[in-house]
Amino acid sequence: MRPNLKFAVAIVTVLLSVTTIFAQMPKGMMPPGMMGQADQSEAVNLPERDRPLVHTLPNGMQFLFVENHSSPMVASIVVVRTGSRNETIELCGATHFLEHLLFNGTETRTQQQLYDDMDFLGGYNNANTTHDHTNFMILLEKSNFTAGLKIQAEMLFHSTLPEDKFAKEKGIVTEEIGMGEDREWNQVEDFYNRVLFEGGPYEWPILGSRQSISNMSREQVWDYYKSNYVPNNMVAMIIGDFHTPDMIETVTEIFGNEQPRTLAERKQYQLYSHRVPAYNAEATYVYQGKATSTYLRYTLFAPTRLYPDYHAFVVLVELLQEYLDEKLKALPELGVTDVSVHHFVDIEFALMNVDLTLKADADYHEARKALENLLFDFQDEAHDPDRILAVVNAIKGEELYNAERPHFYGMLKSADLAQVGPYFLIDYMDRLSEVTPEVVEQSAKYYLNYDHGVTSVYQAVKTEKSADLIAIEGEKLARKTLPNGMTIIVQTDRDNPIFAGHFLFKYRSAYEELLNAKTGSVDFLHRVMEKGPADMPEDEFKATLQRYSARTKFYDMGFIPYDDYYTTAEFSYLRLESLDDYYLPVMEMIAHTLKAPKITEEVIAPIRESVMGMAQRGEGSVSSLGSNLFNDLIYGDHYLAKEIMGTPADVAGYSTDELDQFCTQYCSPQNIILTVLTSHDSETVMEHLEGFFKDWNNISELPQIKSDKPVFEARREEITGGKEQSYLAMGYSFDLIDAADKAPLTIMNSILSDRMQFQLREKEGLAYSLGSSVSFHDDWAVWGARIGTGSQNLARAEEGIIEQVNELQKANLSDDDIVKARNAYLGRLAMRGLTRVNRAYMMGLNELRGQPLDQYNQWMDQLRAVTLSDVQRVMKQYLRADNMTVAIVK
């Protein structure tokens, strides 16, 4: 279970600023050399000739110039003194999100021009975000550096955060968040942060949460950008092959006209010392979760960069790493498999963390006890002066090696620049050289003897797997159709502590028509369900999801590339993910939402306004109009021809009574397939889920769905609206003679689509987005090609698609062509199957279509078995370049 983060241990709250830390410390515990410490603002002598030089522009932007003539390259590292610690809970993730947005266009360059111009210069352009700063770096050959520096300055000060890129970047960041959520270490690190930093921004993820990114408005991010991206909040390092006086003129010209502004007062961060015990008391926080190892973090206070013994502590950490690694691994009974000692530094506080990775069944009590004994013994170790010198030299050598990659070196030093400024770096090597064994020992006795240590343990839960469960696939899966018609399928997969549930609502567009609902009613209803159950405020619903580390998805983000491949006339969905240990309260709340969504005018009014905007944009979108026209021509009266999003007239007509009536039928249990993957026992989970849904009754039986195969007739239709951009779709439906032909048809189409893209986009430049696809429906299929292009290119685009079909039929394909296409397609398919919730989605789709639940694996095997002769056979049998249906919008 989640640890009680209000567990009472120590009493006082310690403000972790330089002064208040020591005011709270017991007498005699002042760090060595702390008395009489120089203030940060104390004058520092300028470096000697040929040494690094610091220069500050009148607008407050500070530069550190480091000449290095070993290679004809120059890097600029600009550090913006804002990071996740500057955010509020509502803006959690804004700093990182903004970092992404700055690559999307400026006042004079589009996103593509930014990329193309830097590529033309042969430059490297990247960025990263941390807790207390954001780092932007470029690296170019010196003759192109000035041009590259202008691009960097334009991004920093004159980005536009284009509205048409905003949703896209939300999707990219959301995917970035998702990449880490299945990783075991991410769960462990989140737990450590909850223990040490509860209630403050260091507890929150730098990337933000799905909820915070989804709710973030462009206006909020724009205000954050304009408040923080100002020259007096930046410090830069220029390092490489240049002449400093000339470079000062360059940066003055490029950056000197940017205007400063008054910065918000820096918030002092608080470390909640209720984590810190009274002397000689044990402070251990334990979380039990599914994991392959047990993880232990032992945390002590440490010096910041402002402390005079900081450099000695850097050496101490290296010595302690070697010492603990050797000693702990020499005791196999402890089960220690990895040791890491690291120094976490903020401008106002610092911590030393000792991280131990233990075998899953190891006794963490014994490991903790051994660690504390070793920390005590280490204080009295005789530190050999030669060993100290060796460590110092090793650190210096690492500095020199890293400096050969100036952009990388700048990234490593960005925290130094952000927290204490460039002068810290100028004398860094000298300060290291001054470290003596006496100061190291003194620091060890002070910091390692401080009894206010905190232990955080992420304990692996023991999961006994029976031989039958492993050997017999059926034992892992529970399946039941409830008396109300709801189908529930639960599969046990013990490799991951994530609960993934996928609710599939059958036949979206068919039931909109049969139940006399307006087009787009399903999409609108899902946006209503996102607000939670009728008797729970939306804020409480969202807060509860966050409390249990859960996330939901009720609809696709249609304007985010690659996010809308679940949007289909065939079904709608609700995707749910939580930690396995929390699935019961989360699933209970979701069940309550499905039974009684918040369908009130107060809720639907703002949704109506938002959806109206999308509908209006859709009416003006040639791709939407073209796709709908093609579907109408190909599918005829079949429900797959129906539009998914409503028109503005539909949206204006959505009423609470109509939505409520439609919801009671479409969202009734008889129309739902729930598929679940979990590490818990499938039968036990099934019992709980049945308890949530068994008393949910249907209002009436749903009408029968008719899905007869449409009769194909080649048709051509054009819509002319005087638009600059046009859309072309062309294709045909055909009978599928043998279901075994689906796999070779898929590989054939993959080859054809790639050839089209290379010829028509890469060589002829007719479009950015184009390609072909083949979709299968029982015993028939549809092949189609689509391209968005300028009106002047329409004739050539249509001609080019037909040419590519004809050329493929004549092509002398090889086995390598098949392997390349097959591997590329399998790679994309494998990516779709990475997450549990996607695998739950695939199970639900297979159940809907009457296919085996492991159809995903079977399909992969069928694709792997495709041969050159298979592709040649289906190409002759099904592929044609004439008698096509053509839809054009221009």
Side-chain angles (χ1 to χ4, degrees), residues 700-817:
S700 61
E701 287 192 14
L702 288 169
Q704 190 71 26
I705 298 295
K706 294 181 180 180
S707 57
D708 296 334
K709 179 181 66 177
V711 177
F712 176 74
E713 178 184 356
R715 301 167 62 188
R716 185 183 186 92
E717 188 168 332
E718 297 185 11
I719 298 177
T720 303
K723 297 181 179 296
E724 183 176 341
Q725 188 70 10
S726 298
Y727 184 90
L728 163 70
M730 53 196 301
Y732 55 93
S733 63
F734 56 92
D735 292 333
L736 196 62
I737 298 171
D738 188 341
D741 292 340
K742 291 181 180 179
L745 274 168
T746 299
I747 301 304
M748 179 208 74
N749 177 73
S750 182
I751 295 171
L752 177 56
S753 186
D754 284 347
R755 291 168 71 102
M756 283 183 185
Q757 291 179 37
F758 182 77
Q759 176 62 38
L760 302 181
R761 183 182 68 184
E762 302 299 336
K763 294 186 70 174
E764 299 187 35
L766 296 183
Y768 179 74
S769 176
L770 74 149
S772 63
S773 63
V774 58
S775 55
F776 303 107
H777 313 278
D778 297 328
D779 59 349
W780 57 283
V782 172
W783 179 88
R786 304 167 191 248
I787 181 172
T789 187
S791 298
Q792 73 278 8
N793 298 325
L794 275 173
R796 172 56 196 149
E798 183 175 353
E799 179 185 67
I801 289 172
I802 294 172
E803 283 178 0
Q804 290 305 307
V805 173
N806 286 325
E807 288 182 13
L808 180 64
Q809 291 175 322
K810 301 173 185 177
N812 184 23
L813 296 178
S814 66
D815 289 331
D816 287 344
D817 293 322

Side-chain angles (χ1 to χ4, degrees), residues 116-187:
D116 290 347
D117 290 354
M118 189 62 80
D119 287 345
F120 179 79
L121 297 172
Y124 171 83
N125 189 11
N126 211 336
N128 68 289
T129 304
T130 74
H131 284 103
D132 64 357
H133 69 277
T134 311
N135 187 39
F136 293 84
M137 67 207 87
I138 61 171
L139 175 70
L140 299 101
E141 196 274 332
K142 64 180 181 180
S143 63
N144 291 329
F145 179 73
T146 299
L149 193 62
K150 290 178 180 178
I151 294 175
Q152 186 182 50
E154 194 173 318
M155 290 173 57
L156 289 169
F157 296 107
H158 300 285
S159 284
T160 56
L161 315 191
E163 292 190 24
D164 61 334
K165 304 287 187 181
F166 200 76
K168 178 263 295 183
E169 285 299 335
K170 279 190 174 185
I172 292 173
V173 172
T174 300
E175 288 302 315
E176 190 175 353
I177 293 170
M179 286 173 60
E181 288 177 336
D182 282 349
R183 296 172 182 165
E184 185 169 298
W185 177 248
N186 284 52
Q187 304 297 328

Side-chain angles (χ1 to χ4, degrees), residues 739 742 829 842-843 845-847 849-862:
K742 291 181 180 179
L829 200 60
M842 293 171 185
M843 287 172 57
L845 193 58
N846 293 334
E847 175 68 14
R849 294 174 176 173
Q851 298 171 332
L853 293 178
D854 64 344
Q855 175 64 24
Y856 170 75
N857 293 326
Q858 293 186 26
W859 179 236
M860 298 276 275
D861 290 340
Q862 291 167 17

Side-chain angles (χ1 to χ4, degrees), residues 605-797:
I607 298 175
R608 185 188 293 117
E609 183 177 347
S610 173
V611 175
M612 177 65 77
M614 288 187 284
Q616 291 169 341
R617 289 190 293 272
E619 279 197 324
S621 166
V622 294
S623 60
S624 295
L625 292 172
S627 179
N628 291 335
L629 176 60
F630 180 72
N631 289 341
D632 185 56
L633 295 175
I634 282 286
Y635 293 109
D637 294 332
H638 196 282
Y639 72 83
L640 291 174
K642 309 304 178 185
E643 296 182 23
I644 293 172
M645 301 295 291
T647 65
D650 292 322
V651 176
Y654 295 144
S655 69
T656 55
D657 290 342
E658 289 179 352
L659 286 170
D660 190 53
Q661 176 63 28
F662 178 64
C663 180
T664 58
Q665 296 175 288
Y666 179 74
C667 297
S668 59
Q670 62 188 317
N671 197 42
I672 296 175
I673 299 170
L674 170 59
T675 46
V676 168
L677 270 79
T678 175
S679 61
H680 292 306
D681 175 71
S682 58
E683 292 291 346
T684 302
V685 173
M686 176 64 77
E687 291 178 10
H688 289 302
L689 297 179
E690 185 177 2
F692 291 143
F693 296 106
K694 66 181 180 181
D695 295 328
W696 187 15
N697 298 318
N698 300 300
I699 302 300
S700 61
E701 287 192 14
L702 288 169
Q704 190 71 26
I705 298 295
K706 294 181 180 180
S707 57
D708 296 334
K709 179 181 66 177
V711 177
F712 176 74
E713 178 184 356
R715 301 167 62 188
R716 185 183 186 92
E717 188 168 332
E718 297 185 11
I719 298 177
T720 303
K723 297 181 179 296
E724 183 176 341
Q725 188 70 10
S726 298
Y727 184 90
L728 163 70
M730 53 196 301
Y732 55 93
S733 63
F734 56 92
D735 292 333
L736 196 62
I737 298 171
D738 188 341
D741 292 340
K742 291 181 180 179
L745 274 168
T746 299
I747 301 304
M748 179 208 74
N749 177 73
S750 182
I751 295 171
L752 177 56
S753 186
D754 284 347
R755 291 168 71 102
M756 283 183 185
Q757 291 179 37
F758 182 77
Q759 176 62 38
L760 302 181
R761 183 182 68 184
E762 302 299 336
K763 294 186 70 174
E764 299 187 35
L766 296 183
Y768 179 74
S769 176
L770 74 149
S772 63
S773 63
V774 58
S775 55
F776 303 107
H777 313 278
D778 297 328
D779 59 349
W780 57 283
V782 172
W783 179 88
R786 304 167 191 248
I787 181 172
T789 187
S791 298
Q792 73 278 8
N793 298 325
L794 275 173
R796 172 56 196 149

